[in-house]
Amino acid sequence: MTSIDERTGMRRMLEDIRREVLYTADETGLPGFHEAVMAAMAAVPRARFVPQGLESAAFDNGPLPIGHGQTISQPYIVALMSELLRVGKESVVLEVGTGSGYQAAVLSELVQQVYSLELVPELASAAAERLQRLGYQNVEVRQGDGYHGWAEHAPYDGIIVTAAAPHIPQALIEQLRIGARLVIPVGDAYGPQRLMVVTRHKENVDERVILPVAFVPLRHSTADRSPTLH
Ligand code: SAH
């Protein structure tokens, strides 16, 4: 069910994203986002991914708390990272940091299959349940430490990390198909962070800085090295 308020909110959210795309075009080198990305943003009801009581802010172009000290990212950043992945209907992608499941839902509109890892068990099960209830059948959520990736389904046509890593995890590069991209915020938890695109080539990798960002930190638990073994 979509209310008039939600339709108005969604229209405003899409306008805000388009405006920010223009403001940041010099920095990102992107004059606009593909219509497929904007259509995916329009298709996913963000109000269903925010905690009860925050629905009225669901279409604001900002991050919101989702519990456990974590956040659902700003819509513009979700669209930007989706755009930077350069994936299509045949692609299989990995997300690290499921959170609310919102970014996974947006990606599911663009690709064939999304695998998503979340470290916090409560967030992983809530997101899995939410995505299932909303009918996203091509998203599989697992609890686990995404620092090590998810080797079982590799290589991926794109990997997106939605928490800031102190450095680029080697396992994620190894799980990229040749020519595929890793989109990842890199930097200290509370220091400057930069959104980066890392492309895996045959012999080397290419790293490009897109713009400054502020993400919650990617945490690293050595106790849980193997998300595929349970
Ligand atoms: N993509 C999410 C927002 C993520 S916030 C959304 O659309 O709502 C970042 C998330 O990364 C948090 O939920 C946090 O618990 C998770 N996280 C942090 N470190 C992680 C790790 N090592 N592996 C997997 N998930 C991690």
Side-chain angles (χ1 to χ4, degrees), residues 49 98 101 104-105 126-137 139 141:
F49 292 82
T98 318
E129 195 265 324
R130 176 180 296 122
L131 288 161
Q132 197 189 17
R133 181 162 32 86
L134 294 173
Y136 293 97
Q137 288 175 351
V139 184
V141 177

Side-chain angles (χ1 to χ4, degrees), residues 40-90:
M41 296 301 294
V44 179
R46 194 167 187 258
R48 303 284 174 279
F49 292 82
V50 303
Q52 266 183 4
L54 289 181
E55 292 92 342
S56 63
F59 298 105
D60 293 350
N61 190 21
L64 288 169
I66 55 169
H68 301 271
Q70 307 305 318
T71 53
I72 175 171
S73 307
Q74 177 193 356
Y76 161 75
I77 291 290
V78 172
L80 173 64
M81 291 175 80
S82 306
E83 175 78 30
L84 290 169
L85 266 185
R86 288 226 197 119
V87 284
K89 279 288 176 201
E90 308 293 307

Side-chain angles (χ1 to χ4, degrees), residues 54-227:
L54 289 181
E55 292 92 342
S56 63
F59 298 105
D60 293 350
N61 190 21
L64 288 169
I66 55 169
H68 301 271
Q70 307 305 318
T71 53
I72 175 171
S73 307
Q74 177 193 356
Y76 161 75
I77 291 290
V78 172
L80 173 64
M81 291 175 80
S82 306
E83 175 78 30
L84 290 169
L85 266 185
R86 288 226 197 119
V87 284
K89 279 288 176 201
E90 308 293 307
S91 305
V92 175
V93 303
L94 173 67
E95 178 192 32
V96 174
T98 318
S100 67
Y102 178 68
Q103 172 78 73
V106 170
L107 288 174
S108 85
E109 300 279 345
L110 291 166
V111 305
Q112 187 186 105
Q113 179 69 35
V114 180
Y115 294 100
S116 186
L117 286 170
E118 168 58 51
L119 191 63
V120 178
E122 292 86 350
L123 289 175
S125 54
E129 195 265 324
R130 176 180 296 122
L131 288 161
Q132 197 189 17
R133 181 162 32 86
L134 294 173
Y136 293 97
Q137 288 175 351
N138 59 342
V139 184
E140 188 176 336
V141 177
R142 274 284 172 91
Q143 189 275 327
D145 184 352
Y147 183 85
H148 306 290
W150 189 342
E152 185 186 347
H153 304 292
Y156 297 99
D157 301 306
I159 300 180
I160 184 169
V161 181
T162 62
H167 55 258
I168 297 163
Q170 187 58 30
L172 299 185
I173 292 178
E174 284 164 10
Q175 291 176 26
L176 278 179
R177 193 183 295 289
I178 305 294
R181 294 171 146 210
L182 164 65
V183 178
I184 182 170
V186 179
D188 293 336
Y190 304 102
Q193 301 169 3
R194 302 176 306 172
L195 184 63
M196 298 189 66
V197 172
V198 182
T199 309
R200 180 177 185 182
H201 298 298
K202 220 169 171 183
E203 307 289 345
N204 61 345
V205 296
D206 170 73
E207 295 177 7
R208 191 155 68 88
V209 174
I210 306 298
L211 80 183
V213 284
F215 276 82
V216 295
L218 182 79
R219 281 162 307 141
H220 185 26
S221 79
T222 42
D224 179 18
R225 295 191 67 86
S226 187

